[in-house]
Amino acid sequence: MINKIILSIVFLILLMVLDSCDEPFSPYGKFETKYSLNCIVMPDTNLQIATLFQSYPINEKTPRSTSFIHNAFIRLWRGKDEVAILKDSTIINIDSLGNSVPIDVYYTNNFRPQPNDVLEIALLLPDGNRLKSKTRVPRFVVPDVDRSSDIIPSGGGDVVTFAWMPNEDNQIFIPTLKLVYKQNIGGTKITKNIRIPWEYSTINGKEVGIDSPPSRIPRVQYSMANIEKVLHLISKGYTKKSNFYIISAILELKILDENLSTYYLTTSRLFDNYSIILDTQDFSNITGGFGVFGSFIVQKMGIKFSSVYLARFGYSNYFN
């Protein structure tokens, strides 16, 4: 069970290249071990994960690499009273080629903070060195109803708008839009969802849907053309369109905390919605080492469809 949860949430941070690109290295000089701690906390799950590495010399051609550190003592605090100890463990990840790849992690499945909680992480290494850091879980934002669409389609316009009021300056947001619907299969209405791309791009001759990139702008707009494309797609190959009942479109908004937002603004290397690759020394908030300790929350905003509009596709509004 733990493996499934780990692979479905943020998985972390594999490792930070511990040397600065502009720092000269001499294989004959004194080697200094450096430590990298990475942990991203999610308030919507009890499972939290951390990775811990150290640098070490190999040879002159590959002067430094990294190695996972086992047998460290890692604790997570929520306020001053709640504490969880992370266990040293190994999980099995299935890569894109279907191969089983073991991954060393520290984890706890008994730590669930709330928005605006102050969190601390502290660890004691086997050699006696200590690393620590602090973060505050983001708060939910308030939807900006005056600038947001209230139904799809929105007043005959070409776009649907979601807007909100940020709580912090320079806060990063990552929106993803999904269509939620039910399909009558053999007399049973099955709930399904499908992603609505922010835009489409042609990659290797194939059209691929792309999500909205991370941004400080407290607003995102989706074209009606892209929404309609997905509405047609859900019933492709089915002749009886009346078996489809549209519930709503749901915006899942990832809200990054100050540390993750600063990391992104410093590096602009947030590759996708689930993985943060820490491969630069431009930003670190780990005392005694390198890495990132941060958190983010996911807030959902819904919008309903016009029944008249859905009838054009042969669909029904689930709420009618």
Side-chain angles (χ1 to χ4, degrees):
M1 182 64 179
I2 181 174
N3 291 358
K4 293 181 180 179
I5 299 175
I6 288 174
L7 298 178
S8 65
I9 67 175
V10 187
F11 182 48
L12 278 195
I13 335 172
L14 297 180
L15 102 99
M16 176 185 284
V17 171
L18 298 170
D19 290 323
S20 173
C21 295
D22 58 0
E23 177 186 357
F25 173 75
S26 169
Y28 304 103
K30 182 179 179 181
F31 173 75
E32 180 183 356
T33 299
K34 297 181 180 180
Y35 305 100
S36 174
L37 169 65
N38 300 293
C39 179
I40 297 177
V41 175
M42 291 182 60
D44 59 352
T45 175
N46 292 327
L47 177 66
Q48 312 300 341
I49 305 168
T51 59
L52 178 61
F53 293 89
Q54 71 176 35
S55 60
Y56 68 96
I58 299 179
N59 54 49
E60 294 184 10
K61 292 184 178 180
T62 311
R64 294 191 184 185
S65 186
T66 55
S67 176
F68 190 86
I69 302 174
H70 294 279
N71 302 317
F73 185 55
I74 303 180
R75 291 173 291 178
L76 276 173
W77 273 278
R78 175 189 174 195
K80 295 183 178 179
D81 300 325
E82 183 179 343
V83 61
I85 298 174
L86 278 67
K87 301 176 182 179
D88 188 349
S89 184
T90 300
I91 64 169
I92 301 299
N93 182 29
I94 306 300
D95 65 16
S96 59
L97 299 177
N99 301 316
S100 298
V101 180
I103 300 176
D104 294 318
V105 298
Y106 287 87
Y107 82 93
T108 176
N109 53 14
N110 190 31
F111 190 81
R112 194 184 186 106
Q114 299 299 313
N116 207 38
D117 279 347
V118 175
L119 309 179
E120 295 184 51
I121 191 169
L123 70 88
L124 176 63
L125 293 162
D127 62 5
N129 282 294
R130 297 176 183 270
L131 280 68
K132 63 180 181 179
S133 188
K134 181 183 292 187
T135 192
R136 181 184 291 274
V137 179
R139 293 173 290 158
F140 291 120
V141 297
V142 176
D144 189 341
V145 295
D146 293 333
R147 297 193 301 138
S148 299
S149 303
D150 59 357
I151 197 169
I152 299 176
S154 180
D158 295 329
V159 298
V160 173
T161 302
F162 295 87
W164 55 91
M165 292 176 277
N167 296 312
E168 310 289 343
D169 293 335
N170 296 320
Q171 193 166 34
I172 295 295
F173 305 97
I174 310 174
T176 304
L177 187 63
K178 294 181 179 180
L179 174 67
V180 183
Y181 64 99
K182 286 182 180 287
Q183 182 180 356
N184 188 333
I185 301 177
T188 301
K189 293 180 180 179
I190 308 298
T191 302
K192 297 183 177 183
N193 68 78
I194 183 173
R195 180 173 60 94
I196 300 175
W198 178 66
E199 67 176 21
Y200 286 89
S201 178
T202 301
I203 300 176
N204 296 326
K206 182 179 180 181
E207 188 178 61
V208 177
I210 298 175
D211 286 330
S212 174
S215 175
R216 287 179 289 180
I217 300 173
R219 183 188 66 181
V220 64
Q221 293 182 311
Y222 289 83
S223 72
M224 283 301 303
N226 289 347
I227 293 173
E228 290 187 3
K229 183 177 290 191
V230 172
L231 283 169
H232 283 295
L233 181 63
I234 62 172
S235 63
K236 185 177 181 180
Y238 293 94
T239 56
K240 196 171 183 180
K241 309 298 183 180
S242 59
N243 280 337
F244 291 83
Y245 304 83
I246 306 302
I247 298 175
S248 63
I250 301 293
L251 185 78
E252 294 184 353
L253 185 67
K254 293 182 178 65
I255 306 171
L256 276 59
D257 71 358
E258 180 180 358
N259 293 334
L260 294 183
S261 294
T262 302
Y263 170 77
Y264 173 74
L265 292 171
T266 302
T267 65
S268 297
R269 292 290 301 277
L270 193 57
F271 286 118
D272 57 52
N273 291 351
Y274 301 98
S275 303
I276 294 179
I277 309 302
L278 301 178
D279 62 352
T280 175
Q281 212 173 355
D282 291 338
F283 174 77
S284 172
N285 67 322
I286 304 297
T287 302
F290 298 95
V292 171
F293 176 53
S295 61
F296 73 86
I297 58 175
V298 180
Q299 181 171 346
K300 296 182 179 181
M301 303 178 188
I303 185 170
K304 295 180 181 179
F305 286 80
S306 160
S307 298
V308 174
Y309 172 72
L310 292 177
R312 291 168 43 191
F313 301 85
Y315 304 150
S316 298
N317 191 319
Y318 180 73
F319 295 101
N320 285 353

